[in-house]
Amino acid sequence: MQRCKVLLVNDFLRKGGAEIVYEQSARLLSTFSGVEVERFDDSHFVEQTSIIARIWNHAAARALEETILRFKPHRVLVHNYHNALSPSVLGVIARHKRSLGYRTYHTCHDYHLVFYNPALQYFEKGRPQILPLEALRTRATFKLRSSPKGLMHDLMTKAYWHAVRAACRPAGIFDQILCPSAYMQEALNRCGIANTVLLHNPSSVPAALVPLPKCGKERFNLAFAGRIAQEKGLRQFIELAQAADFKHIESIGVYGEGPERAVIEQRFAPLIERGKLIFFGSLPQERLFAEMQRFADAVIVPSVCAENAPLIVIEAAMLGLPALVRDGGSMATTADAVGNKIKFRPEPDSLKRALGQLAVHLSNPGRRYEVDEYLPEYYAQRLAEIMEIGELPARPVARAFAALRSASSDLFR
């Protein structure tokens, strides 16, 4: 059988959620018979931090070209590129696609193809707002501030965005664009990008646990997991919890690090002293999920950006936990069929109602969450079908998935 060479491309080797999916896609595709996988990311060239390199990274483009000519892939799957690699790599991919004949795919982890701000945010008086999908491709978007850094920075961002689209036509370089959420697919379609297919990102929790009923609880431990940054909305959620008098909230546990941690620690020092706000730091995934499952009654997703496919909602369901999510953007629509979401608006009364719904939800002995489409083996099979590569994983691989499920069950006991 002829081997199929797959090149996976991503901005960073390690950083955030997209990098986890990048690593998973490489590992899972490698389990298919006849598939050879190679990766390309910022570990393959000397990183340049100048503004010019961020706009157009010649070093990344040269390194990717050398990799393509050496590896001669049959398929190229690009995760993120517009940060460390920059759009400079698009011309390389397009040029050698014509000469080598490979097929190209792009997993759209953010909204950079449809709006100036990849988090689908705009700013009013410095405060972030989620751009409604209905506003895409309207003249109104040019008038909105896509950056909190001032008018000149905003105008330069918009000019650069339009220049890249005119010069590179990013969406047209890829045969198919993989959308981790229906919300992302709708955003692309609204902007005239039709070569899309829905493919949910795989959960990092390898197996689903059976949710256990928690009857009679009136106060809950809530867990935030992720990067502590402005767009993730942790500071705003703590303010909201204070405005709601921490009704039904025992404590908020924070798993992760980020640029807003110091600001939050200083601002909410009295809450930390009282044990209402607890920072656990950044933990390896195997520890993170076990600790969250032991500590939390629910997770929170309070982002003030549209998100895309917040996997923490799915990972919570895999751990048997519900998720309190802000009612906006993709948070409000991702995994509607899973059954573990409780929505709130950024108003104290809305949060109180949501916490009351949480008490009822947790006390239901029959609650179950539907997560099959987010299991790693489902993602691997669907990705291989879309890219038309490989054969079904061999039996040892299936046994490996079973071992992962068994190990995870032992881990969370």
Side-chain angles (χ1 to χ4, degrees):
M1 180 182 65
Q2 185 178 5
R3 294 188 66 80
C4 182
K5 295 182 177 182
V6 181
L7 176 63
L8 288 106
V9 179
N10 191 54
D11 272 326
F12 304 104
L13 175 61
R14 293 182 182 88
K15 187 174 183 182
E19 285 64 50
I20 293 173
V21 179
Y22 167 58
E23 190 278 330
Q24 284 180 301
S25 62
R27 176 170 49 82
L28 292 169
L29 286 175
S30 297
T31 66
F32 284 81
S33 301
V35 175
E36 181 181 350
V37 174
E38 178 144 339
R39 292 193 261 178
F40 179 87
D41 47 57
D42 67 335
S43 65
H44 288 72
F45 58 92
V46 177
E47 183 179 3
Q48 301 178 22
T49 57
S50 68
I51 294 177
I52 294 176
R54 288 175 63 88
I55 294 173
W56 200 262
N57 195 331
H58 287 287
R62 286 195 302 270
L64 178 59
E65 184 168 44
E66 292 171 1
T67 299
I68 289 175
L69 292 175
R70 172 182 54 78
F71 185 59
K72 292 183 170 56
H74 303 103
R75 305 285 187 272
V76 175
L77 171 57
V78 180
H79 286 274
N80 276 340
Y81 66 85
H82 61 98
N83 290 307
L85 302 183
S86 84
S88 67
V89 301
L90 296 177
V92 173
I93 293 170
R95 182 167 64 253
H96 292 293
K97 179 181 181 180
R98 292 191 292 268
S99 61
L100 296 177
Y102 49 70
R103 298 183 195 174
T104 53
Y105 305 85
H106 174 42
T107 297
C108 212
H109 289 287
D110 60 36
Y111 298 90
H112 73 279
L113 289 179
V114 299
F115 190 57
Y116 312 116
N117 185 310
L120 207 64
Q121 286 180 312
Y122 69 97
F123 294 82
E124 285 185 351
K125 298 179 180 179
R127 296 184 67 86
Q129 308 289 333
I130 297 173
L131 182 77
L133 293 186
E134 295 78 15
L136 290 172
R137 292 195 83 177
T138 66
R139 292 182 179 180
T141 58
F142 190 77
K143 299 177 182 178
L144 299 174
R145 289 286 184 90
S146 61
S147 167
K149 296 182 180 180
L151 177 61
M152 186 56 65
H153 185 275
D154 181 62
L155 291 174
M156 292 177 64
T157 297
K158 291 171 179 173
Y160 173 67
W161 189 89
H162 284 288
V164 167
R165 267 125 204 90
C168 301
R169 295 182 60 249
I173 288 173
F174 302 105
D175 294 303
Q176 284 189 300
I177 296 178
L178 314 182
C179 301
S181 69
Y183 195 86
M184 172 60 74
Q185 189 171 37
E186 182 181 352
L188 294 173
N189 293 167
R190 281 177 176 270
C191 292
I193 301 172
N195 55 329
T196 62
V197 61
L198 181 65
L199 176 62
H200 299 302
N201 286 335
S203 169
S204 296
V205 180
L209 304 180
V210 176
L212 299 176
K214 298 182 179 181
C215 300
K217 289 201 72 168
E218 295 185 357
R219 301 185 67 82
F220 308 105
N221 290 320
L222 306 179
F224 171 93
R227 189 165 181 262
I228 308 173
Q230 169 269 331
E231 68 273 10
K232 296 301 182 181
L234 176 61
R235 175 174 52 82
Q236 290 90 335
F237 183 83
I238 299 170
E239 292 171 349
L240 181 62
Q242 282 186 315
D245 300 320
F246 267 73
K247 187 173 182 180
H248 300 302
I249 300 175
E250 183 63 35
S251 63
I252 299 172
V254 180
Y255 298 87
E257 297 288 349
E260 273 221 321
R261 173 169 176 170
V263 174
I264 292 174
E265 285 182 316
Q266 182 177 8
R267 182 166 181 174
F268 301 107
L271 293 179
I272 296 173
E273 291 174 4
R274 291 162 49 200
K276 306 298 285 185
L277 180 61
I278 307 169
F279 285 89
F280 294 104
S282 183
L283 301 177
Q285 279 193 339
E286 60 272 14
R287 279 192 59 201
L288 169 65
F289 296 132
E291 292 294 330
M292 282 178 56
Q293 200 271 341
R294 281 192 282 266
F295 168 82
D297 298 300
V299 303
I300 53 173
V301 187
S303 300
V304 293
C305 64
E307 289 286 1
N308 172 14
L311 265 179
I312 188 61
V313 176
I314 307 305
E315 290 161 347
M318 300 281 281
L319 297 173
L321 298 174
L324 288 171
V325 302
R326 177 172 173 152
D327 190 3
S330 184
M331 291 88 67
T333 59
T334 293
D336 277 333
V338 170
N340 74 325
K341 283 194 307 183
I342 298 170
K343 302 174 187 177
F344 67 90
R345 293 187 178 278
E347 303 158 0
D349 287 344
S350 177
L351 179 59
K352 290 177 183 178
R353 285 194 297 270
L355 290 165
Q357 294 169 15
L358 175 62
V360 174
H361 180 83
L362 286 171
S363 65
N364 179 6
R367 65 185 171 102
R368 294 292 183 272
Y369 304 136
E370 301 296 328
V371 293
D372 288 351
E373 291 189 1
Y374 297 87
L375 294 172
E377 54 262 50
Y378 180 92
Y379 172 84
Q381 181 61 54
R382 185 76 183 101
L383 181 59
E385 289 173 359
I386 291 169
M387 298 175 72
E388 298 182 9
I389 59 174
E391 297 178 350
L392 289 173
R395 289 183 181 177
V397 176
R399 286 198 295 270
F401 280 128
L404 277 172
R405 286 192 287 269
S406 175
S408 67
S409 296
D410 292 340
L411 179 63
F412 297 117
R413 282 175 185 166

